[in-house]
Amino acid sequence: MRTMGSVASVSSDAGWEWRFFVPVPLDEGELPLAGQREDIYFPAGDGLGLKLRNGRAQFLEVKKRLKQSPSGAEQWSKSLHGGCLNADGVLDATCAEQIGIAPEDLASGLPVVRVRKQRRWTELGEEVDCLFMAESDQGMIAERYTSVSVEATDLQDVLRVTRQLRLPENAIMAGYPQIVQRLAERARSAR
């Protein structure tokens, strides 16, 4: 653990992830997956994930995309940072330096996105039933997806598996940050 002022961080090794999302129709009425894990994401671009895991404000989880392979696999690093939220629950600009981004990138003007997840770990990665939610002036915008990933520390291990897989016709190759970013942009334009 490294401490700078009131900001502390913990980093983990980088890993490769090949992930896709498939849209799932959302029925009218109550939103699904209530009571499941619910992360709060701060949109910051396709290659940077900023979230409060399960909505807990003590640590901001930062996921940075380091590389992309032609096959769609992405190499991500993860780190945890304390002291990143002010008293109003807004990202504090003093945390930007610790994260390694410009302070203005923390103030995107986009709404936060809540993501409910019901995860099932597989031998090769995970399968997730997920619901993305963002507020707009017209109310809640919600989208449901099934996400499948293949994950490993070595790119060749990921590629060995993914070469044998066929993507569903309506699959979106992306990481969570990209899906979060697009939903937040749609919510902002609906204001």
Side-chain angles (χ1 to χ4, degrees), residues 14-166:
W16 286 92
E17 179 180 292
W18 181 88
R19 178 179 296 280
F20 67 86
F21 291 83
V22 177
V24 175
L26 194 56
D27 295 330
E28 291 292 322
E30 190 173 319
L31 292 173
L33 303 175
Q36 298 297 321
R37 176 174 141 183
E38 187 170 307
D39 297 336
I40 299 172
Y41 282 82
F42 300 91
D46 293 355
L48 182 62
L50 305 174
K51 76 176 179 184
L52 300 177
R53 183 180 293 272
N54 214 16
R56 295 194 182 110
Q58 65 196 87
F59 288 103
L60 179 71
E61 182 176 308
V62 177
K63 187 174 177 181
K64 290 182 182 179
R65 184 175 57 206
L66 305 175
K67 297 178 188 172
Q68 273 185 295
S69 77
S71 68
E74 300 173 312
Q75 186 182 40
W76 295 92
S77 68
K78 286 186 184 181
S79 57
L80 294 175
H81 301 266
C84 283
L85 298 179
N86 66 24
D88 297 323
V90 176
L91 288 178
D92 193 315
T94 60
C95 193
E97 183 180 335
Q98 182 72 11
I99 295 171
I101 63 174
E104 56 272 14
D105 291 342
L106 290 180
S108 67
L110 294 172
V112 299
V113 176
R114 295 181 176 276
V115 182
R116 292 180 184 166
K117 300 175 183 178
Q118 185 171 30
R119 175 177 277 132
R120 184 177 75 79
W121 295 104
T122 66
E123 186 178 326
L124 306 170
E126 65 180 10
E127 294 177 4
V128 186
D129 184 2
C130 39
L131 178 70
F132 292 76
M133 303 167 286
E135 288 289 337
S136 76
D137 288 346
Q138 283 80 39
M140 177 75 69
I141 296 176
E143 297 176 356
R144 190 174 190 176
Y145 296 89
T146 295
S147 176
V148 175
S149 72
V150 175
E151 301 174 30
T153 55
D154 186 279
L155 175 60
Q156 293 310 311
D157 292 337
V158 171
L159 296 178
R160 204 171 357 272
V161 173
T162 59
R163 284 186 192 115
Q164 301 170 36
L165 300 177
R166 288 188 57 160

